[in-house]
Amino acid sequence: MIAWDQPATWAVVLFAIGLGLMVPNGSMRRRAIGAVVGLASLACFSAAFPVSGPWLDRAVFRILALIAVGSAAASVSMRNAVYAAVWFAICLLGVAGLFLYQGAQFLGVVTVVVYAGAIVVTFLFVIMLAQPTGQMVYDRITWGGEAKILGVGAGALLVAIVTGLLTTDRPPDDRDRVASAIAAWDARTAPSRSDGIAGAEWYLVDARADDGGLRVVLRNDLPPVLLDRLRAALPHELESGDAPLAAAARKQLDIEFLSIEDNVLHPNHVALLGRNLYGRHLISVEIAGTVLLAALVGAIAVAMRARRAERPYEGEAA
Amino acid sequence: MDRIGPLLVVIPAAPLISAVAIALLAPRLLRGIREFPAFLTIAAFGVSLIASLLLLREVTYHHDHVGPGSPSFERVVRLWTWADARDAYWQRPALPSDDPRAESPIEGGSRDFTIDIALRADALTATMLVMVTFISTLVAVFGMGYMQGDRGFWRFFAYVSLFVFSMTMLVSASNFLLLFVFWEAVGLCSYLLIGFWYGKPSAASAGKKAFLVNRVGDFGFALGLFLIWTTYGTLDFHSSARVRSDDGGSERRILDSLTTVPAGATGVAWGVLSRDAESYRHGAIGLAICLLLLVGACGKSAQFPLHVWLPDAMEGPTPVSALIHAATMVTAGIYMIARCTPLFTASPEAQVVVACVGGFTALLAALIALTQFDLKRVLAYSTVSQLGYMFLALGAGTFAGVTSGMFHLFTHAFFKALLFLGSGSVMHAMGNVIDMRRFGGLRKVMPITHWTFLIGCLALAGLPPFAGFWSKDAILGAVHDRAHALSGAHAAHDATNLAAHGRERADDGGTRVVEPGEGVWTLWTPEQAAGVYQWLYCAALLTAGLTALYTFRAFFMTFYGARQIPPEAGGHAHESPAVMTAPLVVLAVCAVSVGWFLDHSYQSDPSYLPGGRASSGNVLGDFLGYAPQLAGGAIAATRTPGRFHFDVAAISALIALGGIAFAAFLYLEDRREADMASAFLRFHWYRRMLDADSIARIRRWKSVDAVNRWADRLRLGWLARIVGRGVLVVVWVVTVPLILTQFASPYRLSQDKFYFDEIYDWTMVRPLRWIADLCAALDRWVIDGTVNMVGRIPVVTGNLMRSLHIGLLPFYAVSMALGVLVLVLARTLWGS
Amino acid sequence: MNERELLDGYLLLGGLLFAIGLVGFLVRRNLIVMFLCAEMMLQGVAVSLVAWSRFRHNWDGQSMVLFIIAIAACEAAVGLALILALFQRSRTLDVAYWQDLREPGQSRRVDRGVPEERREERIWPRLTPAGVMPREDQDKNKETHRARV
């Protein structure tokens, strides 16, 4: 059942062990060991999910991922709440970088500005207000063995599910078949082509076959000349792979560009996001604004009422 | 159009208006006018009485003008159609039977369930209406004096008006369902009036008892109606023709009689009680219908075994006892059976049962009445006994029997109302004391009451020429004739019958002669039935003597002997006011005269009426002979020229005289004889044997003494003592059971009403209560318990869940997370 | 690095962030840190949404992330105010303190195996002193470093 020869399996196991060691319950050494095990698990993850492409691309992604996950783990494992908040800010920076890497520039910026800039600072304020004495006894311990095992087990189960889902070989759908056909075509003809664009499958958005024929959607920053070539070559290329798909393609082959509104990688990225936000999600935006206002008022009300009724701490673990 | 229709409407309408008006106005609006309810009621009853008399005249007029071909007369007035369901029932055609005696043909086909609010006018109804309205008018007048000062004055008159409305509707309904409705309505009024003083527990329970016992009878009656519906397909008494109306819809029209079916009629709906004699069901179904109707009649008319409610009903105001529980309502059963004569004639076994029930009840109630000390209770048992007489007459099954039963109903209403009103007068004077042991010698105190009561007693005892004599003699004669007709003269009777009305019917090759309608004996032979009737005749004679005995026992105890007035009377015991004595006098005149006024059989030879039918010699009997149920069919075949039975009359009169004389011997002057008789009947002599005194007395007897002395001299005293002790032991052995069964002595049996109440208590009431307790326990522990357990499930579950609420937020979070993950995992592993 | 690989990598990253946040939420006892971990879970979701948005070329994913940020801001405002109120009431941030709110009749969870605090582990945040070298605490039992600052 469990494939121990796969790096993904080891990655999950090591992830669980590392996180379990890192959470604050033990000595510094144990946590250091935990950190090492966690790094090993990340290495296993990267081995389990190989990526292709130029090395710089890969390196940037790996580094950003490492920053995000590593600082998240550090944030969880810090005994001191201030450190945890700071590590969380770093994690947010990593996530913002990942957003940028994905082409979601606006989100990346917003994450840095709003999250790291405002929310985390609020956290730090509250920590400073509420916890003047640094690490407390309840920061040093967790719930004892069972609780920690349960919690870490839940997290590991989640990761295992995600990993299992991602590594399980699934039957290729139309898009995968078309993508592999394009990749094959690309690899075969790239040296002889003069357009200089490699990796044409990057531009594939969707491909769907039905009774009417095969419909392929491409991102619209592809050179139009390549489109014609692809149209000519694709049915032939599909012949070797998938017969029904080839039949559909011979029947009718529509290769079209994605509309500008749907292109998340369009240069006018922010404008398009704003159009979507204020068109499709206008009511949601209004509601979110109202919620923000209500939260603001509520937060002030709660904070002001909390002045009275002070009770001394009766913690028995102290 | 003649005046019958409006009259029929006016008769019940006047009391109804009175009842509604009193109920609406008297408690509040017209509270100041104390006498308003009484006057309104008397006026309404007076209007009804006048209308009834007019109706009687109309009916008589029509009787004189009926054509020779149709000796009957009925007029049905349809007010409106109450229920109309088309094709409510599909009647299977009767199966062809090998034996024509077993089943009579019933036409098959689709039946409409149509109930018309239809009133009828014929001889029976007219008689009943006159009787009811007359008595109720007098009772209302009496009640005005009797109920004076009672808090429920208006309520009393509202109830009585409602009762008279219901009763007049009951006797004029021309439909079994309508009859049943008002049958229940009079029961309701009876319940209300028995429990009139509802603050008194005995009155409240007596009302309940009457209502519940009546339910038993009404249940049988309702079953009988169902059976009639499924058997005959209609509940109407009268036949009606269906005429297609012009606009195509079908419409029903009521015809007075079906001698001619008008042109254009599409069909005829044969009424239950106006069919051809041949078309009534014999056999099991006919018998079942009759017996179920009899159950209903027994409930209403207080016949064995449902007679127990009537004596308790005396808890109501005395005018009510006079009106409802003596004169009118209790005769509804008699009326119903008389009305259903065609059904009963078709089942002679049912008639035998009716006669047996009647005869037995008559004797039983008379025996009980002998020892009661409550004046009203004596009269109540006397009512039961007289109703038994009427049942006996109806059970005789001949034309003479039925008419004599109705005749007795008619006369009995007068003298029994008289007696009850007289007892009410006594009660009124004695401060509501009714125990005869506590008053006596009221002869001089209440002269008018005394004389009228005497007339009532003589009428009840059946001495000539008072009313009761004539009707009782007619009944005895009818039973006597019936017994004779069935026994020795059976063959001859058959022969004449056949010659007159017989009809031949081809039957699987042979020819068998079946007399029409003169029912078919299947269970018993006519000879056996004749024996039964013979015994019933003897019982009726014995009852006549007992009747005289208990009647005059009550009379002597009340009005003769040493003057004795209870303290409750307040020292000013006096004759009742004129408003109370006037009805007594009127009723007394009727009780004297109505018998010889109506019965002429003793003075003329048998005569014949127009149309060639034999006259019964009785005005009322001849009048009733025009009622369609009595005019045609089998019952008419038993019609013989009226004959005064001098022998029967002489015997019954002598027996009655003997009863009176015995009562006088026992109760007149001092009551030593009565005490001796009651002591004898209590088996006191048997108990006396065990007394030390009596043993000593025995020792003092000369012979015993001599034996003793002789034995002493021979030094054999020990032997004598042993023998004496042995005798004593034997006496004990024999006597102890008798002492234990002391309550079974004749006197105690009679005084305790043959323990019917106790028997019903132990066989019906208590088992039912046990079952009810069981049901209550089941309801409480099983059903409620189940419901409570279902209600407890959330509590238990909640308590289980409570243990999960340990207050640790991470625990909740980890539960949630694991739950979600388990769901996700399941979806991943086994999801599609 | 094609689209599919990018998607897989981001989804894995989102899952890891979510799992770490979940573990932190379940394991830590400091209310503020638990809150931080909740935010971290939101980040994991945001990463996944952005990845799907890119893969499907659908703006809704990114719009959702914006809403997540908005809601996170609300949450931070209200949640932190509540935490502050709780702290003022109980003078502690321990979530175990609030197990007083458990059902009646339940026993209280008592901490077991609290690790000994070792000296070398006591590393205080060192804020730059304004010209004066902060002295070592005189009273070892009172963990009040701010008094010196």
Side-chain angles (χ1 to χ4, degrees), chain A residues 92-106:
Chain A
L92 283 176
L93 291 180
V95 169
L98 284 167
F99 285 173
L100 288 173
Y101 186 76
Q102 278 279 40
Q105 299 101 325
F106 182 70

Side-chain angles (χ1 to χ4, degrees), chain B residues 78-218:
Chain B
R78 190 180 57 139
L79 301 182
W80 69 86
T81 300
W82 177 29
D84 190 8
R86 300 280 165 196
D87 299 333
Y89 177 67
W90 177 261
Q91 170 74 52
R92 237 176 353 163
L95 293 172
S97 171
D98 291 342
D99 184 4
R101 287 162 173 266
E103 299 281 351
S104 309
I106 294 294
E107 63 273 18
S110 156
R111 299 278 169 78
D112 298 340
F113 183 77
T114 307
I115 301 297
D116 295 326
I117 304 292
L119 303 180
R120 64 187 288 118
D122 65 356
L124 263 172
T125 298
T127 311
M128 291 297 288
L129 281 176
V130 168
M131 192 271 284
V132 168
T133 52
F134 181 68
I135 304 281
S136 50
T137 308
L138 291 178
V139 166
V141 172
F142 182 87
M144 188 166 78
Y146 186 87
M147 300 302 291
Q148 198 63 255
D150 194 283
R151 275 183 58 235
F153 192 70
W154 67 268
R155 207 155 49 87
F156 174 80
F157 285 101
Y159 288 167
V160 170
S161 296
L162 187 63
F163 165 75
V164 173
F165 160 69
S166 309
M167 189 71 199
T168 48
M169 284 298 287
L170 191 156
V171 295
S172 51
S174 187
N175 182 298
F176 268 116
L177 192 66
L178 212 57
L179 174 72
F180 185 69
V181 168
F182 289 100
W183 185 272
E184 297 292 327
V186 294
L188 170 73
C189 294
S190 161
Y191 166 75
L192 290 173
L193 283 163
I194 294 170
F196 182 75
W197 289 307
Y198 49 80
K200 208 162 77 172
S202 60
S205 66
K208 240 176 358 190
K209 182 175 180 182
F211 205 68
L212 289 177
V213 174
N214 263 308
R215 288 286 73 67
V216 178
D218 294 343

Side-chain angles (χ1 to χ4, degrees), chain B residues 811-822:
Chain B
F811 175 75
Y812 305 152
V814 79
S815 313
M816 203 170 86
L818 283 176
V820 169
L821 285 174
V822 165

Side-chain angles (χ1 to χ4, degrees), chain B residues 303-319:
Chain B
Q303 294 299 295
F304 173 82
L306 299 177
H307 65 279
V308 289
W309 67 271
L310 188 57
D312 286 3
M314 296 304 131
E315 293 288 346
T318 308

Side-chain angles (χ1 to χ4, degrees), chain C residues 67-88:
Chain C
F67 289 128
I68 286 177
I69 292 171
I71 297 303
C74 298
E75 211 187 313
V78 177
L80 290 175
L82 280 171
I83 287 172
L84 213 51
L86 293 177
F87 176 76
Q88 282 172 354

Side-chain angles (χ1 to χ4, degrees), chain C residues 51-66:
Chain C
W52 279 113
S53 170
R54 159 78 182 261
F55 185 72
R56 287 278 176 227
H57 281 276
N58 191 331
W59 285 107
D60 291 347
Q62 298 197 13
S63 303
M64 282 304 143
V65 174
L66 271 176

Side-chain angles (χ1 to χ4, degrees), chain B residues 308-388:
Chain B
V308 289
W309 67 271
L310 188 57
D312 286 3
M314 296 304 131
E315 293 288 346
T318 308
V320 170
S321 306
L323 176 63
I324 299 183
H325 304 123
T328 54
M329 187 194 81
V330 290
T331 60
I334 317 288
Y335 163 76
M336 192 259 283
I337 290 186
R339 178 64 83 191
C340 299
T341 301
L343 295 175
F344 279 87
T345 326
S347 306
E349 287 93 350
Q351 286 180 329
V352 174
V353 174
V354 171
C356 287
V357 167
F360 182 71
T361 311
L363 186 58
L364 184 82
L367 283 172
I368 295 175
L370 278 178
T371 56
Q372 300 300 311
F373 288 109
D374 183 327
L375 178 56
K376 279 178 75 179
R377 238 160 239 260
V378 173
L379 294 177
Y381 278 107
S382 142
T383 304
V384 175
S385 177
Q386 298 302 311
L387 290 171

